[in-house]
Amino acid sequence: MLSTAHIKKIRLLHQKKHRTESGLFIAEGVKVVAELLKSNYNVKEILALPQWIDQNSSSLPANLQALPLTPKELARISTLSSPNMVLAVAEKPPDVLPDYTKVTGFMLMLDGIADPGNLGTILRTADWFGVDTVLCSPDCVEVYNPKVIQATMGSAFRVKTIYTDLAQVIDEIKGLVPVYGTFLSGENCYQTKFGSKGAIVIGSESHGISPIIESLVQKRLHIPTLSPGAESLNAAVACALVCAEINRASLIKI
Amino acid sequence: MLSTAHIKKIRLLHQKKHRTESGLFIAEGVKVVAELLKSNYNVKEILALPQWIDQNSSSLPANLQALPLTPKELARISTLSSPNMVLAVAEKPPDVLPDYTKVTGFMLMLDGIADPGNLGTILRTADWFGVDTVLCSPDCVEVYNPKVIQATMGSAFRVKTIYTDLAQVIDEIKGLVPVYGTFLSGENCYQTKFGSKGAIVIGSESHGISPIIESLVQKRLHIPTLSPGAESLNAAVACALVCAEINRASLIKI
């Protein structure tokens, strides 16, 4: 049986403040926990229904035992409205700032993405298209928010997500890597000739790209519409369409 | 001042049961209500903060007056955690079943899309790419769910969303229109030659396309990945990527 203190300790991780203080976060559900266990994240604790433990205990690392709990106990510590078998507590990895001037390929820069589902979907899409670095402005939602982790379906553990001052990074890479941004007007992205590297800025759901970053973008991209009435796309969808277009030559050959 | 009975009547529309019984739904926020007012939906009631009324009352239809309310009253009737100026109550339009054999262009078939954000994003994307008909299996989330309406950003009022038995529709159109489905394996959609019409089946977030519908799909499409670890894409993202690819020749020319 879980002690009240133990339940309380895990429930504190539902809040950003306590995730920041402890350096820990929660990942939940069969698929997401499986991906966490495949990653090089340091998993501190697994709490699961007996069925999950029966099926998975043999594949757990030697230093990690799963604590059995009842569906009622799982519901008390879960962040989900329908808890799914297993909950893990893991350590956030240390922030390692890459040398941006040496980045190869494309990276994403998210300017104020506030919706957890959108950030999660963007990381899942980045992973799909082989984008390994996603820079987030400090006002983006936290990647260890449980809703973000769930929406990534495990991609959060493969894509490097770094919170940083985007203007400063653009200043470092300008002249070395083209900086694109998606706007409601600009060059048709289906006519753009993308090179082998670059940075793509995606603006926030409500305000688009912020004025400071907008002034630093070198190439304004636009995703054309076939409808007279539609005015904008969801940020994660816009991001996916640009990622696909950048990589289209490789995608055709797969 | 809003009466308690009035508040109660609007709050009932937060629930599907009462939306079904009354034939009414809620749309909220400056942008979504503006799109609703531009549409041919029958708007029954507008409740707004005085600032909104000052700016918009002259453009309201003659038979429609906006009822002023306080931020506190708006919060009581709102479905949003941060209410945004205005809430409208409108009538659901009657279901008009098209003659599917005469459909031109592409239509979407959603098989069990359960997440309101995903359905909303799919309708917004459909609108963007000129898809005017979206068929939903009966187990899809309701389009008049307030979270769906908000996520469409007004596209719900332009795209026809019809709840129907997808298998029956496929039976009607087979031989006339190719039926595609997106799967984790199949023909690379970037190599597919799409014609000028077709139906695209998008499966549910957790189970993909259901076995009965899968057996009726004529062409299995696959969106290739550039990552060894990624296993799937968000349903709305997959839908957007296929819609873009189908329309790529037109998009390049815009």
Side-chain angles (χ1 to χ4, degrees):
Chain A
M1 212 183 92
L2 278 185
S3 70
T4 310
H6 198 165
I7 290 173
K8 198 175 159 194
K9 208 173 125 196
I10 294 174
R11 283 185 61 88
L12 283 177
L13 299 178
H14 293 204
Q15 297 167 43
K16 181 177 179 185
K17 181 187 156 202
H18 291 282
R19 290 193 294 272
T20 305
E21 277 174 16
S22 64
L24 302 174
F25 71 97
I26 287 172
E28 285 197 71
V30 174
K31 165 77 180 156
V32 174
V33 171
E35 294 290 334
L36 177 67
L37 288 167
K38 272 197 263 175
S39 76
N40 51 14
Y41 275 56
N42 188 12
V43 182
K44 305 290 283 183
E45 198 174 8
I46 301 252
L47 304 103
L49 303 185
Q51 305 95 290
W52 187 92
I53 297 178
D54 286 349
Q55 286 165 18
N56 294 277
S57 62
S58 61
S59 56
L60 288 179
N63 61 345
L64 194 64
Q65 275 203 322
L67 198 69
L69 78 185
T70 64
K72 214 168 169 180
E73 287 171 325
L74 181 58
R76 286 190 68 190
I77 57 172
S78 175
T79 64
L80 304 174
S81 52
S82 308
N84 178 3
M85 306 276 278
V86 55
L87 181 150
V89 175
E91 239 174 50
K92 300 188 208 174
D95 277 340
V96 180
L97 295 185
D99 180 348
Y100 297 109
T101 60
K102 293 189 178 144
V103 165
T104 55
F106 278 83
M107 62 184 170
L108 291 173
M109 293 187 168
L110 310 182
D111 188 13
I113 293 291
D115 180 83
N118 279 344
L119 178 57
T121 302
I122 289 173
L123 294 177
R124 191 174 172 191
T125 305
D127 189 22
W128 188 263
F129 289 118
V131 175
D132 63 4
T133 304
V134 176
L135 306 187
C136 294
S137 63
D139 58 342
C140 282
V141 58
E142 183 213 5
V143 63
Y144 297 106
N145 175 310
K147 286 184 188 162
V148 177
I149 293 292
Q150 295 315 118
T152 68
M153 295 301 285
S155 294
F157 313 133
R158 284 187 293 269
V159 174
K160 276 198 296 287
T161 310
I162 299 161
Y163 288 74
T164 187
D165 181 335
L166 300 184
Q168 210 174 309
V169 176
I170 296 178
D171 195 57
E172 274 183 56
I173 61 174
K174 71 180 175 201
L176 300 168
V177 172
V179 179
Y180 302 87
T182 54
F183 295 90
L184 295 180
S185 65
E187 182 178 308
N188 179 340
C189 75
Y190 294 102
Q191 293 170 352
T192 301
K193 300 267 176 263
F194 293 100
S196 62
K197 57 186 184 177
I200 311 286
V201 185
I202 304 290
S204 89
E205 298 88 349
S206 34
H207 310 293
I209 296 177
S210 59
I212 293 177
I213 304 299
E214 180 170 357
S215 70
L216 301 171
V217 164
Q218 292 153 355
K219 200 149 202 176
R220 296 171 70 94
L221 297 178
H222 165 61
I223 300 167
T225 178
L226 297 168
S227 159
E231 281 167 40
S232 66
L233 281 166
N234 166 279
V237 163
C239 179
L241 293 172
V242 174
C243 284
E245 195 51 26
I246 287 169
N247 291 296
R248 198 162 185 279
S250 311
L251 293 167
I252 289 179
K253 286 186 216 142
I254 289 174
Chain B
M1 211 183 92
L2 277 186
S3 70
T4 310
H6 199 165
I7 290 173
K8 198 175 159 193
K9 207 172 126 196
I10 293 174
R11 283 185 61 88
L12 283 177
L13 298 178
H14 293 204
Q15 297 166 42
K16 182 178 179 184
K17 181 186 158 204
H18 292 281
R19 290 193 295 271
T20 306
E21 277 173 17
S22 65
L24 301 173
F25 71 98
I26 287 173
E28 284 197 71
V30 175
K31 166 76 180 156
V32 174
V33 171
E35 293 291 334
L36 176 69
L37 289 167
K38 272 197 262 174
S39 75
N40 51 14
Y41 275 57
N42 187 11
V43 181
K44 304 292 282 183
E45 198 173 10
I46 300 252
L47 304 102
L49 302 185
Q51 306 95 288
W52 187 91
I53 296 177
D54 286 349
Q55 286 166 18
N56 294 276
S57 62
S58 60
S59 56
L60 288 180
N63 61 345
L64 193 64
Q65 275 203 322
L67 198 69
L69 77 184
T70 63
K72 214 168 167 179
E73 287 171 325
L74 180 59
R76 286 189 67 190
I77 57 171
S78 176
T79 65
L80 304 174
S81 52
S82 309
N84 178 3
M85 305 277 277
V86 55
L87 181 150
V89 175
E91 238 174 49
K92 301 189 207 175
D95 278 342
V96 180
L97 296 185
D99 180 349
Y100 297 110
T101 60
K102 291 187 179 147
V103 165
T104 55
F106 278 83
M107 63 182 169
L108 290 173
M109 293 188 168
L110 310 183
D111 187 12
I113 292 292
D115 181 84
N118 279 344
L119 178 57
T121 302
I122 288 173
L123 294 177
R124 192 173 172 190
T125 306
D127 189 20
W128 188 262
F129 288 118
V131 173
D132 63 4
T133 304
V134 175
L135 306 188
C136 294
S137 63
D139 58 342
C140 283
V141 58
E142 183 213 5
V143 63
Y144 296 105
N145 176 310
K147 287 184 188 162
V148 176
I149 293 292
Q150 295 315 118
T152 68
M153 295 302 284
S155 294
F157 313 131
R158 284 187 292 269
V159 174
K160 276 197 295 287
T161 309
I162 299 161
Y163 288 75
T164 187
D165 181 334
L166 300 183
Q168 209 174 311
V169 176
I170 295 177
D171 195 57
E172 274 182 57
I173 61 174
K174 71 180 176 203
L176 300 167
V177 171
V179 179
Y180 302 87
T182 55
F183 294 91
L184 295 180
S185 66
E187 181 177 308
N188 178 339
C189 74
Y190 294 102
Q191 293 171 351
T192 302
K193 301 266 175 265
F194 293 100
S196 62
K197 57 185 183 176
I200 311 284
V201 185
I202 304 289
S204 88
E205 298 88 347
S206 35
H207 310 293
I209 297 177
S210 59
I212 292 176
I213 303 299
E214 181 171 354
S215 71
L216 300 171
V217 164
Q218 291 153 355
K219 200 150 201 172
R220 296 172 70 94
L221 297 179
H222 165 61
I223 300 168
T225 177
L226 296 168
S227 160
E231 283 168 37
S232 66
L233 281 165
N234 167 278
V237 163
C239 179
L241 293 171
V242 173
C243 285
E245 195 52 27
I246 287 170
N247 292 295
R248 197 162 186 279
S250 311
L251 293 166
I252 290 180
K253 284 186 218 142
I254 289 174

